[in-house]
C-alpha cells in the first residue's frame, strides 16, 4: 500500500505591514513533493483555512526559482492544488503516514495556534507516523501538545530557520517573534549548521526538521527513509 504524506502550507499573503508580501516558499514544497512522488507516495495539501495558498515573491526570482519550482509554476494542474487546499477539518489523520510543514515567513502568523493542524499533527505522531518541517515550517510545531499535555518539541532535537539567517536576510525587524528563541523556551533542543544558508537536517526519532529552504530535499529524503 502506498505511503501517504500531508503537506501543510500557509494562507497568509503579507507581513503585519500589508505592503510586504509573503507566502509559501514554493521550492520547500516542490523539492519534497518530487522526492515523495519518485517513491510513489500519495500526497495531499492542507492549510489552516483551506483554499488559496499565496506564494512568497522572493522565492519566484532567480536564483531561488530553480527547475523544480519553475515546473510547478508552469503546470496548471499543480498550481490548482495550491488554489484549493483542504481545510484541517476535512483531513482524517488516520490515513497519513507523515506530515510535512512547509515554510515561508507567512507561516509564522497562521501555523502556531491553529488547533486543526495541532490535532492532525498529534494524531499522526501518536499513531507512529513521521512529523517533519522545513525552514519556518517548524513554527507549526511550537504549540502542539500530545495527549498527555506535553509539548511535542520538548526535549527533542530540532532545527529551523535561525535568527542569524533572519538578520542576514534583512527581515529580522519585521518578524512577529524570534522562532528560534521560542523553540528554546519550549524546551526544544535547537540546533543549526555552522554556516547559514546551507542544507542542514536534524532527525530525532520520527521528528525530522530542516533548517532553511536549501534543506527541503534532504529533509524529505530523511522522511522517506523513515517511511
Amino acid at each position: 500500500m502506498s505511503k501517504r504524506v500531508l503537506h501543510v502550507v500557509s494562507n497568509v499573503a503579507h507581513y503585519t505591514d500589508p505592503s510586504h508580501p509573503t507566502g509559501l516558499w514554493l521550492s520547500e514544497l516542490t523539492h519534497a513533493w518530487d522526492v515523495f512522488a519518485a517513491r510513489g507516495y500519495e500526497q495531499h495539501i492542507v492549510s489552516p483555512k483551506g483554499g488559496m495558498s499565496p506564494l512568497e515573491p522572493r522565492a519566484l526570482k532567480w536564483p531561488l526559482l530553480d527547475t523544480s519550482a519553475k515546473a510547478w509554476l508552469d503546470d496548471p494542474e499543480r498550481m490548482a492544488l495550491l488554489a484549493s487546499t483542504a481545510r484541517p477539518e476535512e483531513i482524517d489523520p488516520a490515513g497519513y503516514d507523515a506530515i510535512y510543514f512547509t515554510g515561508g515567513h507567512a507561516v509564522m502568523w497562521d501555523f502556531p495556534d491553529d488547533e486543526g493542524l495541532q490535532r492532525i499533527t498529534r494524531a499522526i505522531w501518536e499513531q507512529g507516523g513521521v512529523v517533519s518541517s522545513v525552514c519556518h515550517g517548524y513554527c507549526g510545531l511550537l504549540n502542539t501538545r500530545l495527549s498527555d499535555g506535553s509539548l511535542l518539541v520538548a526535549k527533542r532535537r530540532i532545527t529551523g530557520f535561525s535568527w542569524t539567517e533572519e538578520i542576514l536576510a534583512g527581515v529580522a525587524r519585521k518578524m512577529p517573534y524570534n522562532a528560534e528563541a521560542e523553540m528554546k523556551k519550549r524546551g526544544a533542543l535547537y540546533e543549526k549548521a555552522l554556516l547559514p544558508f546551507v542544507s542542514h537536517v536534524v532527525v530525532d526519532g520520527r521528528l525530522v526538521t530542516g533548517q532553511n529552504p536549501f534543506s527541503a530535499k534532504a529533509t524529505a529524503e530523511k522522511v522517506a527513509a523513515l517511511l
Side-chain angles (χ1 to χ4, degrees):
M1 186 175 177
S2 174
K3 299 294 185 181
R4 301 178 83 219
V5 178
L6 183 65
H7 297 265
V8 189
V9 298
S10 178
N11 299 117
V12 173
H14 56 77
Y15 289 12
T16 303
D17 179 349
S19 68
H20 293 282
T22 186
L24 163 67
W25 196 281
L26 185 57
S27 65
E28 293 178 13
L29 170 68
T30 69
H31 285 198
W33 192 282
D34 293 345
V35 168
F36 299 142
R39 288 161 173 77
Y41 296 172
E42 184 178 338
Q43 304 181 73
H44 300 106
I45 305 177
V46 67
S47 63
K49 295 180 179 178
M52 174 67 70
S53 179
L55 300 181
E56 165 60 62
R58 290 179 303 158
L60 305 180
K61 300 175 182 177
W62 185 89
L64 298 172
L65 180 63
D66 59 16
T67 303
S68 173
K70 190 173 187 305
W72 266 74
L73 287 177
D74 294 340
D75 186 338
E77 290 187 9
R78 288 190 171 185
M79 289 302 292
L81 297 176
L82 292 175
S84 58
T85 63
R87 300 189 306 275
E89 56 266 32
E90 296 173 319
I91 298 296
D92 178 4
Y96 291 91
D97 302 284
I99 188 169
Y100 173 81
F101 285 83
T102 64
H105 285 101
V107 310
M108 298 183 76
W109 281 271
D110 64 349
F111 276 13
D113 297 314
D114 190 274
E115 294 181 358
L117 295 180
Q118 292 172 8
R119 171 186 64 84
I120 295 169
T121 305
R122 177 170 54 251
I124 290 175
W125 178 265
E126 294 183 344
Q127 69 198 21
V130 176
V131 170
S132 63
S133 67
V134 69
C135 200
H136 290 90
Y138 74 146
C139 294
L141 306 178
L142 277 171
N143 300 322
T144 298
R145 292 187 179 274
L146 303 178
S147 295
D148 64 3
S150 65
L151 286 165
L152 171 61
V153 298
K155 299 180 181 180
R156 290 194 169 91
R157 296 171 55 234
I158 198 167
T159 192
F161 207 64
S162 68
W163 190 245
T164 298
E165 288 168 319
E166 300 283 20
I167 294 170
L168 293 174
V171 293
R173 293 181 179 180
K174 302 174 184 176
M175 295 301 97
Y177 51 88
N178 179 331
E180 175 185 333
E182 290 299 320
M183 267 296 171
K184 292 175 180 176
K185 285 181 183 177
R186 287 157 176 77
L189 308 177
Y190 179 84
E191 302 177 14
K192 63 181 178 182
L194 290 175
L195 296 174
F197 304 115
V198 297
S199 178
H200 182 65
V201 181
V202 171
V203 179
D204 189 336
R206 293 179 286 109
L207 180 63
V208 182
T209 50
Q211 183 175 329
N212 48 45
F214 311 105
S215 311
K217 181 179 180 181
T219 301
E221 288 174 341
K222 293 293 187 182
V223 171
L226 286 172
L227 294 179

